[in-house]
Amino acid sequence: MDDGGMACTIPGRTTTKAREPGDRYAWRSMRVDPDFEPLVTERLLLRRSRPEDAETISSYRSDPEVFRQQGWERTDPEGVRTDIVEMSGREPGEPGGWVQFSVEEREGARLVGDVGLSPAEGEPGVIKVGYTMAPAVQGRGYATEAVGALVAYALGTLEADVVRAYASAENLPSHRVAEKIGMRLVERFGRGHGDQRRFVVRYELNRDDR
């Protein structure tokens, strides 16, 4: 399997070290894109998610293996639809939460996954990305293609200085997606206690590393 399920953000977590005033990217803000146009790759189209996407997104997020690797609180259609509606009022690059994009095959317009981005709270110039691909299309390179386009958009149009992704330490396919688009592993850490303890990895790509 070449594509991962989800490079997930960890709810409530920020970076382990705050940026100091002397840091290269410390106080640089990103652009907000109020005129977003769909991102087009060789095989895919990334557009803003719509409420009518909820049933399909719920279906693949509810797959047991996909769900195991993710941090979603709800994967039922109504929960997914509520999140999409809430995010629809936010522009890409705008602080305050995630913006989600549905991933379609250009040939036939089948919805095969979703990706998202969110400015990191308290870290100007840093943007987080997440991604999910339906199990039926994993192994085709779609995650690498979609996330590569999203990262290029974040660094280019939104003028982010750092793009960051989190994933379960067990989710090796997602690690490979991050590495294929040039991200590097910067941290591995644990969360929870006892039987609930799980390990997470953090990948980043700096503007100067492109």
Side-chain angles (χ1 to χ4, degrees):
M1 182 169 64
D2 295 324
D3 290 348
M6 176 74 178
C8 60
T9 58
I10 308 303
R13 178 177 172 82
T14 59
T15 188
T16 55
K17 174 181 179 297
R19 295 180 183 274
E20 301 295 337
D23 287 354
R24 177 171 32 174
Y25 303 129
W27 309 114
R28 190 180 187 285
S29 296
M30 289 177 293
R31 285 189 64 242
V32 174
D33 181 13
D35 303 311
F36 174 80
E37 294 290 337
L39 307 180
V40 180
T41 70
E42 181 181 356
R43 299 175 295 173
L44 304 172
L45 182 142
L46 283 62
R47 58 164 175 78
R48 293 293 299 264
S49 292
R50 301 188 290 254
E52 56 265 33
D53 298 335
E55 292 284 348
T56 300
I57 293 173
S58 170
S59 177
Y60 60 73
R61 285 188 183 176
S62 298
D63 177 273
E65 182 58 24
V66 174
F67 182 79
R68 188 176 70 85
Q69 301 289 358
Q70 297 186 343
W72 301 104
E73 292 183 3
R74 292 181 62 178
T75 61
D76 60 286
E78 188 55 38
V80 173
R81 187 175 297 107
T82 297
D83 287 343
I84 290 173
V85 171
E86 187 273 330
M87 288 184 283
S88 68
R90 190 178 299 121
E91 306 293 352
E94 183 178 345
W98 288 86
V99 171
Q100 182 172 298
F101 309 92
S102 293
V103 179
E104 293 182 345
E105 292 176 321
R106 291 179 61 186
E107 183 176 344
R110 179 174 60 149
L111 199 163
V112 295
D114 61 90
V115 299
L117 51 76
S118 172
E121 184 178 354
E123 295 184 86
V126 180
I127 200 159
K128 301 178 292 186
V129 297
Y131 45 96
T132 314
M133 288 292 129
V137 300
Q138 290 180 14
R140 302 183 188 183
Y142 280 180
T144 303
E145 192 170 326
V147 179
L150 187 68
V151 168
Y153 170 74
L155 293 173
T157 301
L158 300 184
E159 300 180 356
D161 291 310
V162 179
V163 177
R164 176 181 298 162
Y166 293 100
S168 165
E170 300 176 357
N171 193 352
L172 299 183
S174 274
H175 302 184
R176 289 195 290 270
V177 170
E179 291 163 0
K180 284 178 182 178
I181 62 175
M183 304 183 87
R184 62 184 181 86
L185 177 64
V186 296
E187 182 184 19
R188 184 178 187 273
F189 58 93
R191 288 185 64 82
H193 302 281
D195 293 342
Q196 301 301 314
R197 188 164 178 80
R198 60 192 290 254
F199 287 91
V200 176
V201 293
R202 173 164 62 99
Y203 279 87
E204 290 186 350
L205 176 64
N206 294 341
R207 171 184 292 275
D208 293 347
D209 293 337
R210 296 179 71 193

